[in-house]
């Protein structure tokens, strides 16, 4: 669930607009987590590994997600700079907060896993798009993937795909095949939303 902006264009959002973007983007992604957890589904990237760890250990998704992201900030500072890193840190912190608060004010039940997968994919994809357009991401493997592409010539997409393959392989040992299949559908929807709408030549503000 992680994608990066290589360099920020000159035309930037105002600080108040960035705050709005970070709030809306992380709230949408937190809502997608509620859809996934309601049907015990997972997703890819660090978010997927966090969900697996949370299910396995009975811990809070938000807390696990925050901790697993910490090692990637060093790469973010080196590769993307402080502005990007601080926004990403704020986004991860906000997502941690929302995923802790939402279960206290809303409960999802009788949700078909197919519906959960599609709804999670749409809300996660839309939330990530909002974050990208305000110069932030949700950290994780994508940062390392871009760094490896720039320094070792390894395609970022292959790095992320390899990590996702590991996440879904682990999921096979924890969940029924149907659950893994629905989870994969959700991940596909997320990536289709982003691939269709994330075009730097169409939207240049950050």
């Amino acid at each position: 669930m992680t994608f990066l902006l290589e360099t920020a264009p000159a035309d930037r959002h105002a600080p108040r607009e960035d705050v709005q973007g970070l709030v809306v983007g992380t709230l949408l992604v937190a809502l997608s987590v509620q859809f996934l957890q309601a049907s015990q589904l997972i997703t890819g990237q660090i978010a997927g590994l966090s969900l697996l760890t949370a299910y396995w250990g009975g811990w809070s998704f938000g807390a696990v997600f925050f901790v697993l992201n910490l090692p990637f900030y060093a790469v973010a500072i080196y590769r993307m700079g402080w502005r990007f890193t601080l926004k990403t840190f704020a986004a991860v912190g906000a997502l941690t907060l929302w995923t802790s608060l939402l279960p206290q004010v809303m409960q999802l039940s009788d949700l078909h896993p197919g519906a959960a997968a599609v709804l999670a994919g749409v809300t996660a994809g839309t939330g990530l798009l909002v974050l990208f357009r305000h110069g932030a991401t949700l950290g994780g493997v994508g940062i390392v993937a871009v760094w490896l592409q720039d320094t070792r010539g390894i395609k970022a997409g292959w790095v992320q795909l390899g990590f996702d393959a590991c996440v879904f392989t682990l999921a096979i040992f924890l969940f029924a095949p149907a659950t893994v299949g629905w989870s994969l559908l959700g991940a596909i929807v997320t990536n289709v939303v982003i691939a269709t709408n994330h075009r730097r030549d169409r939207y240049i503000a950050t």
Side-chain angles (χ1 to χ4, degrees), residues 6 73-88:
E6 282 259 26
Y73 291 120
V75 178
I77 293 170
Y78 170 74
R79 179 63 186 84
M80 309 299 291
W82 279 101
R83 181 184 175 89
F84 168 85
T85 304
L86 290 175
K87 284 185 179 181
T88 295

Side-chain angles (χ1 to χ4, degrees), residues 173-192:
F173 296 99
L174 295 175
F175 301 100
T179 300
V180 178
W182 288 122
S183 298
L184 185 59
L185 172 63
I188 291 172
V189 171
T190 297
N191 284 284
V192 167

Side-chain angles (χ1 to χ4, degrees), residues 136-154:
T137 71
L138 288 173
V141 177
I143 297 172
V144 175
V146 170
W147 177 69
L148 286 175
Q149 178 171 296
D150 290 348
T151 60
R152 300 289 187 272
I154 303 171

Side-chain angles (χ1 to χ4, degrees), residues 97-161:
L97 176 64
W98 292 136
T99 54
S100 298
L101 292 178
L102 283 185
Q104 300 180 31
V105 298
M106 62 179 292
Q107 296 292 328
L108 298 175
S109 59
D110 298 323
L111 187 61
H112 188 278
V118 172
L119 290 170
V122 170
T123 50
T126 305
L128 287 168
L129 284 171
V130 173
L131 292 176
F132 301 160
R133 291 178 175 181
H134 287 271
T137 71
L138 288 173
V141 177
I143 297 172
V144 175
V146 170
W147 177 69
L148 286 175
Q149 178 171 296
D150 290 348
T151 60
R152 300 289 187 272
I154 303 171
K155 294 280 189 184
W158 290 116
V159 175
Q160 295 191 155
L161 183 61

